[in-house]
Amino acid sequence: MLTAAHLLTLLPLIIVGSTAVVAMLWIAWQRHHAGTALVSAAGLVVALLVLPLTYPAASSPPLMQVDGLAVMAGALILLSALVTVILSHHYLTGYIGPREEFYLLLLCATAGALALVASDHLAMLFISLELLSMPLYGMLAYSFRAERSLEAGIKYLLLSAAATAFLLFGMALIYARTGYLDLAGLTGALVDAPDAWMLAGAALMVVGLGFKLSVVPFHLWTPDVYQGGPAPATIFLATVSKLAVFVVLLRLVLAAPVFSSEWLQTLVTVLALLTMLGGNLLALFQANLKRLLGYSSIAHFGYLLVAIVAGNTLAMETTGVYLITYLVTTLAAFGVVTLVSSPFRGEDADGLPLYRGLFWRRPYLAAVMTVSFLSLAGIPLTAGFIGKFYVIALGVADSRWWLVGGIVAGSAIGLYYYLRVMVTLYLPEPGMRRRDVTNDWGSRLGGITLMALAVAILLLGVYPAPMIDWVRQLSMG
């Protein structure tokens, strides 16, 4: 039974859901692109402002656990969704066709992500995951007149259905063995060593969530979907969706003993090595910037799987720090692609040759992309270095030397293709094809947001103490 305390705890989720309803009614009454974007952004800001009121929670609602991990992930989800709304407005201004429904889909997916990171019951986990995934099908296929966008939506739909089948089968095996679906019940029922059925169920759930995280060898959909989907939808998929799925996987590992069994840790270790090395190696040969960033995202979540293998309190802190640095950097990198693509009809400006000489036309925009790629490479004085340092420190502290070696090797490989993109920005060629942003991009909210993200990358790299203290406080809670 829901009480007033429960409703207070659910307030950010209620606000986001109410904003989606208001946006839907607004669209039905009058189509107004700027107004719909403003309503969506306002709802996300209000939800973000009330989020601190939910922690520490006197009691959590049924099927959910509103703890420090959920609050931290919720804040990152709302911030990422807000940035996506801002960049979407800039991108969709030149779109031919209905534009307002994109924000409705984004709000529904954000509500699903907020519920997913607080899930304390396997049924809630499944419902939230579907609420997150289903709007993404429409977001990825939103530019349906472009063949690649429709292909991206269909591919993500089909492979997500396969992942859901694995996930449900794994849940069924675990329920058949224990009779529980809540994580507290699973913890109490598994005092003894898990048997083969339990391990099979846990492995199937890891496979199902691995599809969503693009873990090798379940990654084949990622480059095509990233390339074909509209840039704002790709931003949301690379940030909010992956963050929410990873947090719920970490919650399973920390709560249910079967997910921390030695056999399953060995499986995840192998997947982590394949992911961090495979993602970087495949990115070497990419001439498409969105595909390159897709493979880079695969590699980064391979690094972060070290936290899943470790499965301790330091793993929570490492996850928080790495996700913050990853989100800020990814939003900045994809944000540049979004702004450069927005004034044009048809496909996004994702070919690497289109960015050749960008520095000589838009030096500040090239600087944002340079800073973001330096951070992705883990160069000191950027946010990415702090995140990678934490992951390596976690691997060393837990004596996971194979994973530490994989991180070092993957980072060395990644340095090549990150530098290749950065060098391209400063090498003009006569007669080259050019894509450019509008002349007033710097005075628009999207451009200001990108500049703020670049400054945040540098600040977090130079002075990460406030971020670390905030993450540590919520992790201890």
Side-chain angles (χ1 to χ4, degrees):
M1 180 178 178
L2 286 176
T3 64
H6 292 159
L7 292 176
L8 177 62
T9 305
L10 291 172
L11 198 53
L13 181 59
I14 293 172
I15 291 173
V16 173
S18 301
T19 306
V21 174
V22 171
M24 181 173 58
L25 294 175
W26 177 281
I27 295 168
W29 175 57
Q30 181 182 15
R31 288 192 173 274
H32 193 281
H33 180 213
T36 307
L38 183 61
V39 168
S40 303
L44 293 171
V45 170
V46 173
L48 189 61
L49 291 176
V50 303
L51 187 64
L53 302 177
T54 66
Y55 182 80
S59 62
S60 293
L63 310 183
M64 302 179 76
Q65 179 65 42
V66 182
D67 53 8
L69 181 61
V71 171
M72 176 175 62
L76 297 179
I77 287 169
L78 291 171
L79 283 171
S80 300
L82 179 61
V83 173
T84 306
V85 167
I86 294 171
L87 294 173
S88 298
H89 176 261
H90 194 97
Y91 180 90
L92 292 171
T93 299
Y95 178 71
I96 301 175
R99 295 168 289 185
E100 293 79 9
E101 285 81 0
F102 187 87
Y103 302 98
L104 178 61
L105 295 170
L106 188 149
L107 289 169
C108 292
T110 302
L114 289 174
L116 182 61
V117 297
S119 296
D120 193 42
H121 193 281
L122 296 185
M124 187 67 181
L125 187 157
F126 172 71
I127 294 170
S128 303
L129 186 61
E130 291 306 296
L131 180 57
L132 168 62
S133 299
M134 288 186 177
L136 272 170
Y137 308 149
M139 291 171 67
L140 290 167
Y142 203 78
S143 302
F144 59 90
R145 294 180 181 85
E147 182 180 345
R148 288 189 182 275
S149 177
L150 197 58
E151 178 188 346
I154 293 173
K155 281 186 176 180
Y156 190 66
L157 168 63
L158 294 177
L159 290 171
S160 289
T164 301
F166 280 103
L167 187 67
L168 283 176
F169 193 22
M171 290 180 181
L173 289 178
I174 291 176
Y175 179 71
R177 174 65 179 81
T178 65
Y180 291 96
L181 287 175
D182 60 297
L183 299 188
L186 291 177
T187 303
L190 298 173
V191 292
D192 300 324
D195 58 14
W197 291 107
M198 287 296 301
L199 291 174
L204 287 172
M205 288 188 66
V206 170
V207 169
L209 296 175
F211 269 101
K212 302 290 186 178
L213 292 174
S214 309
V215 174
V216 175
F218 317 117
H219 68 290
L220 296 178
W221 60 271
T222 307
D224 293 337
V225 170
Y226 274 50
Q227 180 183 3
T234 307
I235 292 174
F236 194 89
L237 178 63
T239 54
V240 174
S241 177
K242 287 196 170 185
L243 180 153
V245 173
F246 188 87
V247 167
V248 79
L249 179 59
L250 179 63
R251 187 180 292 279
L252 289 173
V253 170
L254 294 175
V258 64
F259 287 94
S260 56
S261 63
E262 184 177 353
W263 180 85
L264 204 60
Q265 283 189 341
T266 303
L267 174 63
V268 176
T269 299
V270 173
L271 292 177
L273 283 170
L274 290 175
T275 303
M276 61 180 71
L277 294 177
N280 282 306
L281 287 172
L282 291 170
L284 288 174
F285 309 104
Q286 299 304 316
N288 184 287
L289 193 55
K290 288 171 73 177
R291 291 179 72 91
L292 185 148
L293 287 170
Y295 282 120
S296 171
S297 174
I298 292 173
H300 278 279
F301 277 89
Y303 303 147
L304 200 47
L305 283 176
V306 176
I308 299 297
V309 177
N312 52 33
T313 305
L314 183 58
M316 287 183 60
E317 185 178 338
T318 301
T319 298
V321 171
Y322 199 94
L323 284 176
I324 291 172
T325 59
Y326 167 80
L327 289 176
V328 173
T329 304
T330 303
L331 288 170
F334 272 111
V336 175
V337 176
T338 303
L339 289 192
V340 175
S341 302
S342 54
F344 297 89
R345 310 295 188 266
E347 295 183 353
D348 290 346
D350 51 9
L352 190 55
L354 299 177
Y355 292 83
R356 190 178 297 271
L358 181 65
F359 172 77
W360 306 107
R361 306 189 302 276
R362 306 292 176 189
Y364 291 107
L365 200 60
V368 172
M369 181 167 275
T370 301
V371 168
S372 64
F373 273 83
L374 287 173
S375 182
L376 287 171
I379 302 300
L381 302 182
T382 63
F385 173 77
I386 305 300
K388 199 160 289 185
F389 176 82
Y390 255 83
V391 171
I392 293 176
L394 178 63
V396 171
D398 209 46
S399 299
R400 305 286 178 177
W401 302 112
W402 281 102
L403 291 176
V404 172
I407 294 170
V408 173
S411 299
I413 297 169
L415 192 60
Y416 168 77
Y417 61 83
Y418 291 135
L419 287 175
R420 181 161 64 92
V421 174
M422 288 185 279
V423 169
T424 302
L425 301 175
Y426 300 88
L427 290 178
E429 285 185 357
M432 60 186 175
R433 292 176 61 199
R434 294 182 176 182
R435 287 282 182 105
D436 206 353
V437 295
T438 55
N439 292 326
D440 61 342
W441 74 271
S443 60
R444 291 189 177 186
L445 192 54
I448 295 171
T449 303
L450 279 191
M451 298 299 293
L453 288 170
V455 171
I457 291 172
L458 295 175
L459 283 178
L460 292 175
V462 175
Y463 185 56
M467 170 187 66
I468 294 172
D469 291 340
W470 180 67
V471 171
R472 184 170 297 161
Q473 179 183 0
L474 292 177
S475 300
M476 292 174 63

